[in-house]
Amino acid sequence: MTSLGGKERNSEVTESVRQAPTARRENSAPKEMRIMEEVVKGLNMEKALRQVERNKGSSGVDGMTVGELRSYLKEQWPKIKAELLEDRYKPQSVLRVDIPKPDGGVRALGIPTAIDRLIQQAVHQVISPIFDCGFSESSYGFRQGRSAHQAVKQAQKYVAEGKRWVVDIDLEKFFDRVNHDMLMARVARRIKDKRILRLIRCYLQAGVMEEGLVKASKEGTPQGGPLSPLLSNIFLDDLDKELEKRGHRFCRYADDCNIYVGSRRAGESVMASITRFLEKRLKLKVNCQKSAVDRPWKRKFLGYSMTSNKQPRLKAAEQAVNRLKSKLREIFRKGRGWNLERLIREEINPLLKGWANYFCLSEVKRIFEELDAWIRRKLRCIKWRQWKKPRTRMKELIKLGLDKEKAWKSANNGRGAWWNAGAPHMNFALNQEYFDNNELVRLLDYRHKP
């Protein structure tokens, strides 16, 4: 058996896993009653540890970093394993961290301790396949082999088939409102090992530490732990089944759900009936301000929108473009005193690559062209400010290929940095070849080409 995080054999951590007491190892109970034994198996724990180490993440309430987890397990894993098998393990509370939302407000994340992240990951690896095989084909979030891109392409297909109205449902504070008893009843439909059920409930009720005080958790499933996405899919599977029973075309990614219909009237009827279902059957609240029945090209789904053509084309939604620009403005402000090549390499390119890889399905060329041009102009603006004095600007422009007379006129035109960044002299001096040589990411290169 490989070690808990590497290729070396017979490591101290692996030995601690092997030697840990295994309660009920010879238990004759049915397999479905012995899921905890599968969770604490060496190979499963090794896989979980590697995943937690890859994910990194912040420390929880105990202050232990992921980097310290391996050495901690060498000493403590036998005791923790015994507590899990004997139904005695008690998770620690999660640390609350507020993350700003793109559209305003904050999203509350609950950061479990490193050891609790490990245990949750190990549980997830064992029970996820048990549930996943029964999930809807229209559920795309946090499932192996499924992605946001698949959901977006399926939505595009529904619109191309004539479902040119969308019922866009936004659940208000979904992760904060999930009823624990209702969630556990759904988990218990497939999980019969009471130790696993108790452990999951303990995670739900572990409490949240905020400003040094622990508050009890009576409802909700904290975002931030490995189990949370799976639990959200388990809870919302009832919604999926209801939509399937009614014959609707829909795409759901976690708590984002879009239903595609043929008319506004049909959409309004669906919105009313599904809102009743969510509020009465699942005790969830629909955010009426953010939910709507509208044309798909007037809404966004997972950051994408689409054109109104008979065969709609995907594009990055306006909100996603504005969000990227906002992040870039912060980088440009921070980088005014930086070497431009370093700013591109260390700050701008990583952000652009991540954004471009996600929005690579976009088929609308104009958005990418405009973003590329805007980014280059902002970088020229930084250069112009860095040169400061007209004499310096003249020298730099001459170095970059302008003749002396044009360089002198440009350097002394008295205009501001933004105007000069878009003027012919700066477009000539810092041209596309200059930025290509400095390996600035071109978003247009990532655009989907039909």
Side-chain angles (χ1 to χ4, degrees), residues 340-393:
L340 205 62
E341 292 75 16
R342 180 188 164 206
L343 185 67
I344 290 170
R345 183 178 65 253
E346 296 183 11
E347 297 286 336
I348 296 173
N349 276 353
L351 175 61
L352 293 183
K353 283 178 182 176
W355 194 90
N357 279 321
Y358 182 76
F359 287 101
C360 64
L361 298 182
S362 297
E363 300 162 290
V364 177
K365 186 178 181 181
R366 176 183 54 80
I367 293 172
F368 283 74
E369 287 178 327
E370 290 176 355
L371 275 171
D372 281 333
W374 180 81
I375 291 165
R376 290 194 297 269
R377 187 169 179 179
K378 293 292 281 187
L379 290 171
R380 291 187 189 108
C381 196
I382 290 174
K383 265 294 190 195
W384 187 260
R385 286 196 175 104
Q386 288 177 346
W387 290 338
K388 293 184 180 178
K389 296 179 180 179
R391 189 173 177 181
T392 305
R393 289 169 181 163

Side-chain angles (χ1 to χ4, degrees), residues 10-231:
N10 303 318
S11 72
E12 292 180 54
V13 179
T14 303
E15 285 302 310
S16 70
V17 170
R18 285 176 174 167
Q19 295 169 14
T22 308
R24 310 183 192 181
R25 184 172 289 169
E26 302 301 326
N27 200 327
S28 58
K31 185 177 180 180
E32 61 268 23
M33 303 292 288
R34 292 183 286 113
I35 296 175
M36 186 65 84
E37 277 75 8
E38 297 300 315
V39 169
V40 300
K41 274 185 178 177
L43 288 175
N44 187 56
M45 294 305 303
E46 289 166 13
K47 181 181 176 183
L49 179 57
R50 287 195 296 271
Q51 185 61 47
V52 170
E53 289 176 330
R54 275 195 296 272
N55 292 343
K56 297 180 182 178
S58 304
S59 303
V61 294
D62 61 355
M64 184 193 298
T65 67
V66 171
E68 296 169 324
L69 183 56
R70 184 175 296 276
S71 58
Y72 177 82
L73 288 170
K74 290 177 183 178
E75 299 294 330
Q76 299 297 324
W77 174 243
K79 174 176 172 288
I80 295 168
K81 180 177 180 180
E83 288 176 351
L84 288 166
L85 289 168
E86 294 165 13
D87 203 10
R88 295 186 289 109
Y89 182 79
K90 292 190 183 339
Q92 296 187 68
S93 57
V94 299
L95 180 66
R96 179 184 167 117
V97 177
D98 290 336
I99 306 295
K101 284 185 176 182
D103 54 353
V106 294
R107 174 179 286 109
L109 292 186
I111 302 176
T113 62
I115 187 64
D116 281 325
R117 291 210 291 277
L118 173 69
I119 294 169
Q120 284 194 37
Q121 180 63 35
V123 172
H124 180 281
Q125 288 167 185
V126 172
I127 71 171
S128 181
I130 296 172
F131 287 96
D132 195 82
C133 60
F135 285 155
S136 167
E137 286 296 309
S138 297
S139 168
Y140 295 90
F142 309 111
R143 297 179 62 191
Q144 191 169 6
R146 290 178 163 260
S147 68
H149 281 179
Q150 290 175 334
V152 168
K153 286 193 282 189
Q154 184 59 63
Q156 180 188 28
K157 185 178 177 183
Y158 288 146
V159 177
E161 290 171 351
K163 304 293 183 182
R164 295 173 71 81
W165 289 87
V166 62
V167 182
D168 185 352
I169 296 175
D170 184 274
L171 295 174
E172 188 173 294
K173 296 183 178 179
F174 166 72
F175 286 93
D176 297 334
R177 294 183 183 275
V178 172
N179 181 285
H180 289 172
D181 290 337
M182 294 175 69
L183 172 57
M184 290 310 303
R186 283 154 179 78
V187 175
R189 290 172 184 171
R190 289 179 175 265
I191 301 297
K192 303 305 177 187
D193 189 328
K194 292 184 179 179
R195 294 166 297 175
I196 295 290
L197 295 174
R198 192 199 71 86
L199 180 63
I200 293 173
R201 185 177 279 275
C202 282
Y203 276 122
L204 292 173
Q205 298 178 340
V208 177
M209 179 176 283
E210 189 176 0
E211 297 179 353
L213 299 174
V214 177
K215 299 178 182 178
S217 301
K218 296 181 179 178
E219 62 179 3
T221 167
Q223 288 178 271
L227 271 176
S228 183
L230 173 61
L231 295 177

Side-chain angles (χ1 to χ4, degrees), residues 273-290:
S273 61
I274 292 301
T275 297
R276 285 195 299 272
F277 174 84
L278 288 165
E279 293 181 349
K280 290 183 178 179
R281 288 278 296 276
L282 299 183
K283 309 300 181 189
L284 296 173
K285 185 172 176 57
V286 173
N287 187 328
C288 296
Q289 291 183 326
K290 293 184 178 180

Side-chain angles (χ1 to χ4, degrees), residues 331-342:
I331 293 173
F332 295 142
R333 273 194 288 271
K334 182 174 73 173
R336 284 177 181 175
W338 286 38
N339 171 281
L340 205 62
E341 292 75 16
R342 180 188 164 206

